[in-house]
Amino acid sequence: MSRISQIVLDDAGLPPATPEIEQERRVAMFDLLEENTFKLPARDGRAVPEGPYHVALAIRDKRLVFEVNTEKAEKAAEFHLSLGPFRQVVKDYFQICESYFEAVKKLPPSQIETIDMARRGIHNEGSRVLQERLDGKVEVDTDTARRLFTLICVLHFGG
């Protein structure tokens, strides 16, 4: 049961999301809960609480915070990641998403597809950065990292 069964974003104090950002959030959360891999490794010889896990994501003091609890509300892990390694890829992702959202409104499918391919490439880069940052803290597969990266972007939207 090494998976996430509940995900919460601490977006208190952030400005309201645009309809496009809100849609990205809903899709990422739905897809994440449908299928994900989230495995806490043993650390310092301590037993790892079994999942499934409830995960809360927040940005606090310019750090990305993962709070991980069991379904019985027992603390399983908490880790803080520097936002520095994410800054450029998040910025690039927002820029390409903006282009994509505009393209959908007025460009032919072939041009939309080209922009979407670029968007997916940047998204893959963001998920790779996230997997590197999570190394030794939690094991996630590529799809889980992609969905978590989307949620990190949602938190960055107002941050």
Side-chain angles (χ1 to χ4, degrees):
M1 297 303 295
S2 297
R3 59 186 280 298
I4 298 170
S5 63
Q6 180 182 4
I7 185 93
V8 175
L9 296 185
D10 180 359
D11 56 2
L14 297 181
T18 65
E20 294 88 357
I21 297 290
E22 190 55 39
Q23 177 64 15
E24 292 280 315
R25 172 189 178 141
R26 278 194 301 271
V27 169
M29 290 179 94
F30 177 84
D31 289 348
L32 181 69
L33 294 177
E34 283 293 303
E35 184 177 343
N36 68 78
T37 300
F38 193 89
K39 183 178 180 182
L40 295 173
R43 293 174 64 137
D44 304 324
R46 290 179 285 157
V48 176
E50 288 190 29
Y53 301 106
H54 292 187
V55 175
L57 287 176
I59 294 180
R60 293 191 201 118
D61 300 323
K62 298 183 181 181
R63 299 186 69 76
L64 176 63
V65 179
F66 281 75
E67 293 178 356
V68 183
N69 293 308
T70 66
E71 289 192 316
K72 295 177 182 174
E74 298 166 343
K75 188 171 197 97
E78 181 174 311
F79 33 94
H80 300 235
L81 306 176
S82 170
L83 289 173
F86 296 101
R87 280 193 190 6
Q88 188 61 51
V89 72
V90 168
K91 180 180 176 186
D92 293 346
Y93 186 67
F94 274 124
Q95 287 177 338
I96 198 74
C97 282
E98 188 175 307
S99 296
Y100 175 78
F101 297 142
E102 285 301 312
V104 168
K105 296 175 188 174
K106 57 187 173 191
L107 293 179
S110 62
Q111 289 177 306
I112 294 169
E113 187 175 314
T114 301
I115 294 170
D116 191 45
M117 286 176 58
R119 183 173 83 138
R120 280 182 274 156
I122 294 169
H123 202 232
N124 287 340
E125 174 65 13
S127 66
R128 185 192 61 74
V129 170
L130 179 60
Q131 283 179 300
E132 286 177 1
R133 303 298 298 147
L134 292 174
D135 188 40
K137 296 169 182 59
V138 63
E139 295 171 26
V140 295
D141 64 3
T142 301
D143 288 337
T144 301
R146 285 177 55 84
R147 293 165 184 143
L148 288 170
F149 175 73
T150 300
L151 297 176
I152 292 166
C153 288
V154 169
L155 288 173
H156 266 85
F157 176 73

